[in-house]
Amino acid sequence: EYMGEHLWPRMLASASRAMAAAPTEESATSKRSSLQLSIAGGVAGLAEALSVQPFDFLKTRFHLSRTPNPSILEGLKAVYHEGGFLRFYRGVLPELVGMVPKSSLMYMSYEESRRIFAARNNGVMTSGVAFAAGLVSGVFEATAVAPFQVVKIRLMAKAYLGRYRNSFDCVRSILRDEGVLRFGRGYGPTLWRNCVWNSVYFALMFRVKDLLPETHSHTADLLQTLVSGFVGGLVATGFNAPFDMVKSRFQEELLERGKPPKHRFTLLTLYEVFKTEGPKACYKGFAPKAVRMGLGGAVAMGAFELTCHLMPDDE
């Protein structure tokens, strides 16, 4: 759904140090073409989706619940008793299919934006540059992933377990009963969610890695990336969690032709949840989401860096 929210390149530390000290020196990701960045982003997205799917499933269930949620352990147990281990992977197909274009566009747009903004900042990488580039990447990421998220949320919702047989049946049913525009449902909160998360994540990632000691091996640098990726993903989740909850509420809702939807505006829906369910409801699913985003950010960052490292330099 995640990057993500999901998925972040290594140039945030090595490139920042290199650009600040010697603008002519390039990081591994800076030497990659847009196509290579897209491929590496796709690989990172697939690695993330497969590794964190159980927590993503539980997060969605918690979002859609109108009653107090149990602990992560109790929630995992309940899902397992409901349908076994494979229940956690219900809805994984649209997540995987959507992850490739989402991650590719996010990584490519972030790196290209970073290069442009840094060039206008005298070739110096800063947390402000990272924040701005993250904001831009969130727009591309949200646009790519929103339709797939509608299918995923419907499949994960407990209320619809008997309604859709699989992903393809879900797509057919939505097209037949609600129309093609239904796949754009929830684009607003998705935009809020991804732009907020990416901006905070990339800016924080830059600061964390910049504070860490200089490394002299790829293994040590990768370890720093995993640690800072986890920390950055965890903190950024605190900023975008309410918008993610609203997105799930938007996309769960069945639309009847000729009738207005229950949820129409992101901030208004967030206020209504706050007023009717209490302030804690705005952070429903925060615990599994924090684990999902922290772990996902680390796995995706590592996969992205490793893929870029294994690629030949683009001359």
Side-chain angles (χ1 to χ4, degrees), residues 60-89:
T60 301
R61 283 288 183 87
F62 282 10
H63 281 171
L64 302 178
S65 172
R66 269 62 173 182
T67 59
N69 291 317
S71 66
I72 292 180
L73 182 59
E74 290 301 319
L76 291 173
K77 285 181 179 179
V79 174
Y80 180 80
H81 289 315
E82 177 187 297
F85 179 73
L86 291 180
R87 176 67 80 210
F88 292 108
Y89 284 83

mmCIF file of all heavy atoms in Angstrom, residues 60-89:
data_model
loop_
_atom_site.group_PDB
_atom_site.id
_atom_site.type_symbol
_atom_site.label_atom_id
_atom_site.label_comp_id
_atom_site.label_asym_id
_atom_site.label_seq_id
_atom_site.Cartn_x
_atom_site.Cartn_y
_atom_site.Cartn_z
ATOM 1 N N THR A 60 -5.889 -3.248 7.873
ATOM 2 C CA THR A 60 -7.130 -2.930 7.155
ATOM 3 C C THR A 60 -8.352 -3.358 7.960
ATOM 4 O O THR A 60 -9.338 -2.619 8.046
ATOM 5 C CB THR A 60 -7.133 -3.607 5.782
ATOM 6 O OG1 THR A 60 -6.002 -3.151 5.029
ATOM 7 C CG2 THR A 60 -8.406 -3.276 5.014
ATOM 8 N N ARG A 61 -8.295 -4.543 8.552
ATOM 9 C CA ARG A 61 -9.402 -5.010 9.385
ATOM 10 C C ARG A 61 -9.649 -4.046 10.555
ATOM 11 O O ARG A 61 -10.796 -3.729 10.889
ATOM 12 C CB ARG A 61 -9.107 -6.410 9.910
ATOM 13 C CG ARG A 61 -9.307 -7.514 8.874
ATOM 14 C CD ARG A 61 -10.784 -7.724 8.589
ATOM 15 N NE ARG A 61 -11.033 -8.800 7.661
ATOM 16 C CZ ARG A 61 -11.164 -10.073 8.004
ATOM 17 N NH1 ARG A 61 -11.063 -10.441 9.268
ATOM 18 N NH2 ARG A 61 -11.410 -10.985 7.089
ATOM 19 N N PHE A 62 -8.577 -3.573 11.173
ATOM 20 C CA PHE A 62 -8.700 -2.642 12.284
ATOM 21 C C PHE A 62 -9.285 -1.305 11.822
ATOM 22 O O PHE A 62 -10.076 -0.681 12.530
ATOM 23 C CB PHE A 62 -7.333 -2.410 12.931
ATOM 24 C CG PHE A 62 -6.882 -3.521 13.848
ATOM 25 C CD1 PHE A 62 -7.569 -4.719 13.906
ATOM 26 C CD2 PHE A 62 -5.766 -3.371 14.649
ATOM 27 C CE1 PHE A 62 -7.164 -5.748 14.744
ATOM 28 C CE2 PHE A 62 -5.353 -4.381 15.502
ATOM 29 C CZ PHE A 62 -6.047 -5.574 15.546
ATOM 30 N N HIS A 63 -8.885 -0.853 10.627
ATOM 31 C CA HIS A 63 -9.422 0.399 10.071
ATOM 32 C C HIS A 63 -10.935 0.348 9.947
ATOM 33 O O HIS A 63 -11.632 1.329 10.222
ATOM 34 C CB HIS A 63 -8.851 0.641 8.672
ATOM 35 C CG HIS A 63 -7.465 1.188 8.671
ATOM 36 N ND1 HIS A 63 -6.718 1.300 7.504
ATOM 37 C CD2 HIS A 63 -6.681 1.667 9.659
ATOM 38 C CE1 HIS A 63 -5.541 1.819 7.809
ATOM 39 N NE2 HIS A 63 -5.494 2.044 9.097
ATOM 40 N N LEU A 64 -11.431 -0.782 9.501
ATOM 41 C CA LEU A 64 -12.851 -0.899 9.158
ATOM 42 C C LEU A 64 -13.732 -1.222 10.354
ATOM 43 O O LEU A 64 -14.959 -1.164 10.258
ATOM 44 C CB LEU A 64 -13.031 -1.976 8.081
ATOM 45 C CG LEU A 64 -12.257 -1.746 6.772
ATOM 46 C CD1 LEU A 64 -12.470 -2.909 5.812
ATOM 47 C CD2 LEU A 64 -12.664 -0.432 6.131
ATOM 48 N N SER A 65 -13.121 -1.556 11.469
ATOM 49 C CA SER A 65 -13.881 -1.901 12.670
ATOM 50 C C SER A 65 -14.427 -0.642 13.336
ATOM 51 O O SER A 65 -13.722 0.359 13.474
ATOM 52 C CB SER A 65 -12.994 -2.670 13.646
ATOM 53 O OG SER A 65 -13.653 -2.855 14.883
ATOM 54 N N ARG A 66 -15.693 -0.702 13.746
ATOM 55 C CA ARG A 66 -16.309 0.415 14.478
ATOM 56 C C ARG A 66 -16.271 0.193 15.978
ATOM 57 O O ARG A 66 -16.821 0.970 16.750
ATOM 58 C CB ARG A 66 -17.754 0.606 14.027
ATOM 59 C CG ARG A 66 -17.948 1.588 12.875
ATOM 60 C CD ARG A 66 -17.260 1.172 11.606
ATOM 61 N NE ARG A 66 -17.601 2.043 10.476
ATOM 62 C CZ ARG A 66 -17.153 1.851 9.237
ATOM 63 N NH1 ARG A 66 -16.339 0.828 8.967
ATOM 64 N NH2 ARG A 66 -17.499 2.679 8.266
ATOM 65 N N THR A 67 -15.635 -0.885 16.412
ATOM 66 C CA THR A 67 -15.516 -1.189 17.837
ATOM 67 C C THR A 67 -14.033 -1.191 18.217
ATOM 68 O O THR A 67 -13.167 -1.245 17.344
ATOM 69 C CB THR A 67 -16.133 -2.564 18.153
ATOM 70 O OG1 THR A 67 -15.462 -3.572 17.371
ATOM 71 C CG2 THR A 67 -17.618 -2.572 17.812
ATOM 72 N N PRO A 68 -13.719 -1.131 19.515
ATOM 73 C CA PRO A 68 -12.315 -1.156 19.926
ATOM 74 C C PRO A 68 -11.585 -2.381 19.393
ATOM 75 O O PRO A 68 -12.130 -3.494 19.392
ATOM 76 C CB PRO A 68 -12.399 -1.171 21.454
ATOM 77 C CG PRO A 68 -13.699 -0.509 21.764
ATOM 78 C CD PRO A 68 -14.630 -0.938 20.666
ATOM 79 N N ASN A 69 -10.360 -2.193 18.938
ATOM 80 C CA ASN A 69 -9.586 -3.285 18.354
ATOM 81 C C ASN A 69 -8.781 -4.029 19.411
ATOM 82 O O ASN A 69 -8.354 -3.445 20.413
ATOM 83 C CB ASN A 69 -8.629 -2.746 17.287
ATOM 84 C CG ASN A 69 -9.362 -2.250 16.063
ATOM 85 O OD1 ASN A 69 -10.293 -2.880 15.594
ATOM 86 N ND2 ASN A 69 -8.949 -1.102 15.548
ATOM 87 N N PRO A 70 -8.548 -5.328 19.196
ATOM 88 C CA PRO A 70 -7.710 -6.103 20.124
ATOM 89 C C PRO A 70 -6.229 -5.796 19.892
ATOM 90 O O PRO A 70 -5.885 -4.962 19.047
ATOM 91 C CB PRO A 70 -8.042 -7.548 19.747
ATOM 92 C CG PRO A 70 -8.359 -7.468 18.283
ATOM 93 C CD PRO A 70 -9.076 -6.154 18.104
ATOM 94 N N SER A 71 -5.376 -6.482 20.600
ATOM 95 C CA SER A 71 -3.936 -6.332 20.392
ATOM 96 C C SER A 71 -3.543 -6.968 19.056
ATOM 97 O O SER A 71 -4.346 -7.686 18.435
ATOM 98 C CB SER A 71 -3.167 -7.012 21.522
ATOM 99 O OG SER A 71 -3.381 -8.422 21.484
ATOM 100 N N ILE A 72 -2.323 -6.706 18.619
ATOM 101 C CA ILE A 72 -1.844 -7.307 17.368
ATOM 102 C C ILE A 72 -1.888 -8.825 17.459
ATOM 103 O O ILE A 72 -2.362 -9.501 16.534
ATOM 104 C CB ILE A 72 -0.417 -6.835 17.044
ATOM 105 C CG1 ILE A 72 -0.400 -5.343 16.705
ATOM 106 C CG2 ILE A 72 0.167 -7.643 15.880
ATOM 107 C CD1 ILE A 72 0.987 -4.808 16.380
ATOM 108 N N LEU A 73 -1.407 -9.374 18.571
ATOM 109 C CA LEU A 73 -1.370 -10.827 18.724
ATOM 110 C C LEU A 73 -2.767 -11.419 18.688
ATOM 111 O O LEU A 73 -3.012 -12.429 17.995
ATOM 112 C CB LEU A 73 -0.668 -11.191 20.044
ATOM 113 C CG LEU A 73 -0.508 -12.691 20.316
ATOM 114 C CD1 LEU A 73 0.285 -13.351 19.200
ATOM 115 C CD2 LEU A 73 0.169 -12.912 21.677
ATOM 116 N N GLU A 74 -3.712 -10.816 19.414
ATOM 117 C CA GLU A 74 -5.082 -11.317 19.409
ATOM 118 C C GLU A 74 -5.713 -11.184 18.030
ATOM 119 O O GLU A 74 -6.460 -12.057 17.590
ATOM 120 C CB GLU A 74 -5.918 -10.559 20.449
ATOM 121 C CG GLU A 74 -5.550 -10.876 21.892
ATOM 122 C CD GLU A 74 -5.718 -12.355 22.209
ATOM 123 O OE1 GLU A 74 -6.717 -12.957 21.761
ATOM 124 O OE2 GLU A 74 -4.842 -12.901 22.906
ATOM 125 N N GLY A 75 -5.412 -10.090 17.353
ATOM 126 C CA GLY A 75 -5.934 -9.892 16.006
ATOM 127 C C GLY A 75 -5.404 -10.928 15.032
ATOM 128 O O GLY A 75 -6.156 -11.468 14.205
ATOM 129 N N LEU A 76 -4.118 -11.219 15.119
ATOM 130 C CA LEU A 76 -3.521 -12.240 14.249
ATOM 131 C C LEU A 76 -4.128 -13.610 14.524
ATOM 132 O O LEU A 76 -4.411 -14.384 13.602
ATOM 133 C CB LEU A 76 -2.003 -12.283 14.459
ATOM 134 C CG LEU A 76 -1.214 -11.069 13.971
ATOM 135 C CD1 LEU A 76 0.244 -11.168 14.394
ATOM 136 C CD2 LEU A 76 -1.308 -10.923 12.451
ATOM 137 N N LYS A 77 -4.351 -13.907 15.803
ATOM 138 C CA LYS A 77 -4.967 -15.183 16.166
ATOM 139 C C LYS A 77 -6.377 -15.299 15.593
ATOM 140 O O LYS A 77 -6.767 -16.350 15.068
ATOM 141 C CB LYS A 77 -5.016 -15.324 17.693
ATOM 142 C CG LYS A 77 -3.685 -15.633 18.346
ATOM 143 C CD LYS A 77 -3.877 -15.774 19.853
ATOM 144 C CE LYS A 77 -2.566 -16.106 20.551
ATOM 145 N NZ LYS A 77 -2.744 -16.211 22.031
ATOM 146 N N ALA A 78 -7.142 -14.205 15.691
ATOM 147 C CA ALA A 78 -8.520 -14.225 15.202
ATOM 148 C C ALA A 78 -8.571 -14.456 13.694
ATOM 149 O O ALA A 78 -9.404 -15.229 13.201
ATOM 150 C CB ALA A 78 -9.217 -12.912 15.556
ATOM 151 N N VAL A 79 -7.701 -13.800 12.961
ATOM 152 C CA VAL A 79 -7.664 -13.980 11.510
ATOM 153 C C VAL A 79 -7.250 -15.400 11.161
ATOM 154 O O VAL A 79 -7.807 -16.019 10.251
ATOM 155 C CB VAL A 79 -6.699 -12.961 10.859
ATOM 156 C CG1 VAL A 79 -6.535 -13.247 9.369
ATOM 157 C CG2 VAL A 79 -7.207 -11.541 11.055
ATOM 158 N N TYR A 80 -6.283 -15.935 11.889
ATOM 159 C CA TYR A 80 -5.821 -17.302 11.628
ATOM 160 C C TYR A 80 -6.945 -18.308 11.872
ATOM 161 O O TYR A 80 -7.157 -19.233 11.077
ATOM 162 C CB TYR A 80 -4.618 -17.625 12.506
ATOM 163 C CG TYR A 80 -4.084 -19.021 12.294
ATOM 164 C CD1 TYR A 80 -3.255 -19.317 11.203
ATOM 165 C CD2 TYR A 80 -4.419 -20.057 13.174
ATOM 166 C CE1 TYR A 80 -2.785 -20.595 10.998
ATOM 167 C CE2 TYR A 80 -3.952 -21.347 12.983
ATOM 168 C CZ TYR A 80 -3.129 -21.615 11.889
ATOM 169 O OH TYR A 80 -2.655 -22.888 11.677
ATOM 170 N N HIS A 81 -7.682 -18.140 12.960
ATOM 171 C CA HIS A 81 -8.793 -19.054 13.263
ATOM 172 C C HIS A 81 -9.917 -18.899 12.243
ATOM 173 O O HIS A 81 -10.668 -19.843 12.003
ATOM 174 C CB HIS A 81 -9.327 -18.781 14.676
ATOM 175 C CG HIS A 81 -8.395 -19.203 15.765
ATOM 176 N ND1 HIS A 81 -7.737 -20.414 15.761
ATOM 177 C CD2 HIS A 81 -7.985 -18.576 16.908
ATOM 178 C CE1 HIS A 81 -6.980 -20.531 16.839
ATOM 179 N NE2 HIS A 81 -7.109 -19.408 17.555
ATOM 180 N N GLU A 82 -10.009 -17.725 11.642
ATOM 181 C CA GLU A 82 -11.062 -17.468 10.653
ATOM 182 C C GLU A 82 -10.829 -18.236 9.360
ATOM 183 O O GLU A 82 -11.768 -18.759 8.763
ATOM 184 C CB GLU A 82 -11.101 -15.964 10.348
ATOM 185 C CG GLU A 82 -12.087 -15.548 9.278
ATOM 186 C CD GLU A 82 -11.927 -14.075 8.944
ATOM 187 O OE1 GLU A 82 -12.157 -13.231 9.832
ATOM 188 O OE2 GLU A 82 -11.557 -13.766 7.791
ATOM 189 N N GLY A 83 -9.584 -18.304 8.908
ATOM 190 C CA GLY A 83 -9.334 -18.960 7.614
ATOM 191 C C GLY A 83 -7.951 -19.517 7.424
ATOM 192 O O GLY A 83 -7.542 -19.781 6.285
ATOM 193 N N GLY A 84 -7.202 -19.690 8.505
ATOM 194 C CA GLY A 84 -5.866 -20.251 8.387
ATOM 195 C C GLY A 84 -4.853 -19.226 7.905
ATOM 196 O O GLY A 84 -5.151 -18.040 7.737
ATOM 197 N N PHE A 85 -3.623 -19.689 7.649
ATOM 198 C CA PHE A 85 -2.537 -18.800 7.264
ATOM 199 C C PHE A 85 -2.823 -18.061 5.965
ATOM 200 O O PHE A 85 -2.486 -16.879 5.813
ATOM 201 C CB PHE A 85 -1.242 -19.612 7.122
ATOM 202 C CG PHE A 85 -0.063 -18.774 6.709
ATOM 203 C CD1 PHE A 85 0.544 -17.898 7.604
ATOM 204 C CD2 PHE A 85 0.425 -18.847 5.421
ATOM 205 C CE1 PHE A 85 1.630 -17.118 7.223
ATOM 206 C CE2 PHE A 85 1.515 -18.067 5.029
ATOM 207 C CZ PHE A 85 2.115 -17.212 5.936
ATOM 208 N N LEU A 86 -3.486 -18.745 5.014
ATOM 209 C CA LEU A 86 -3.743 -18.118 3.712
ATOM 210 C C LEU A 86 -4.729 -16.953 3.799
ATOM 211 O O LEU A 86 -4.795 -16.139 2.874
ATOM 212 C CB LEU A 86 -4.259 -19.163 2.717
ATOM 213 C CG LEU A 86 -3.239 -20.219 2.273
ATOM 214 C CD1 LEU A 86 -3.876 -21.179 1.283
ATOM 215 C CD2 LEU A 86 -2.007 -19.560 1.649
ATOM 216 N N ARG A 87 -5.487 -16.885 4.890
ATOM 217 C CA ARG A 87 -6.414 -15.760 5.029
ATOM 218 C C ARG A 87 -5.657 -14.438 5.047
ATOM 219 O O ARG A 87 -6.145 -13.426 4.541
ATOM 220 C CB ARG A 87 -7.225 -15.901 6.323
ATOM 221 C CG ARG A 87 -8.151 -14.728 6.606
ATOM 222 C CD ARG A 87 -9.276 -14.652 5.574
ATOM 223 N NE ARG A 87 -10.310 -15.598 5.883
ATOM 224 C CZ ARG A 87 -11.093 -16.191 4.980
ATOM 225 N NH1 ARG A 87 -10.927 -15.909 3.697
ATOM 226 N NH2 ARG A 87 -12.029 -17.045 5.333
ATOM 227 N N PHE A 88 -4.448 -14.438 5.600
ATOM 228 C CA PHE A 88 -3.651 -13.211 5.650
ATOM 229 C C PHE A 88 -3.291 -12.708 4.249
ATOM 230 O O PHE A 88 -3.000 -11.531 4.067
ATOM 231 C CB PHE A 88 -2.356 -13.434 6.437
ATOM 232 C CG PHE A 88 -2.565 -13.666 7.897
ATOM 233 C CD1 PHE A 88 -2.390 -14.920 8.458
ATOM 234 C CD2 PHE A 88 -2.950 -12.618 8.724
ATOM 235 C CE1 PHE A 88 -2.579 -15.133 9.813
ATOM 236 C CE2 PHE A 88 -3.150 -12.818 10.085
ATOM 237 C CZ PHE A 88 -2.968 -14.078 10.626
ATOM 238 N N TYR A 89 -3.325 -13.614 3.279
ATOM 239 C CA TYR A 89 -2.929 -13.237 1.922
ATOM 240 C C TYR A 89 -4.127 -13.047 0.994
ATOM 241 O O TYR A 89 -3.965 -12.967 -0.216
ATOM 242 C CB TYR A 89 -1.945 -14.272 1.355
ATOM 243 C CG TYR A 89 -0.566 -14.088 1.950
ATOM 244 C CD1 TYR A 89 -0.240 -14.644 3.187
ATOM 245 C CD2 TYR A 89 0.390 -13.303 1.317
ATOM 246 C CE1 TYR A 89 1.004 -14.435 3.766
ATOM 247 C CE2 TYR A 89 1.633 -13.091 1.872
ATOM 248 C CZ TYR A 89 1.935 -13.657 3.098
ATOM 249 O OH TYR A 89 3.175 -13.431 3.658
#
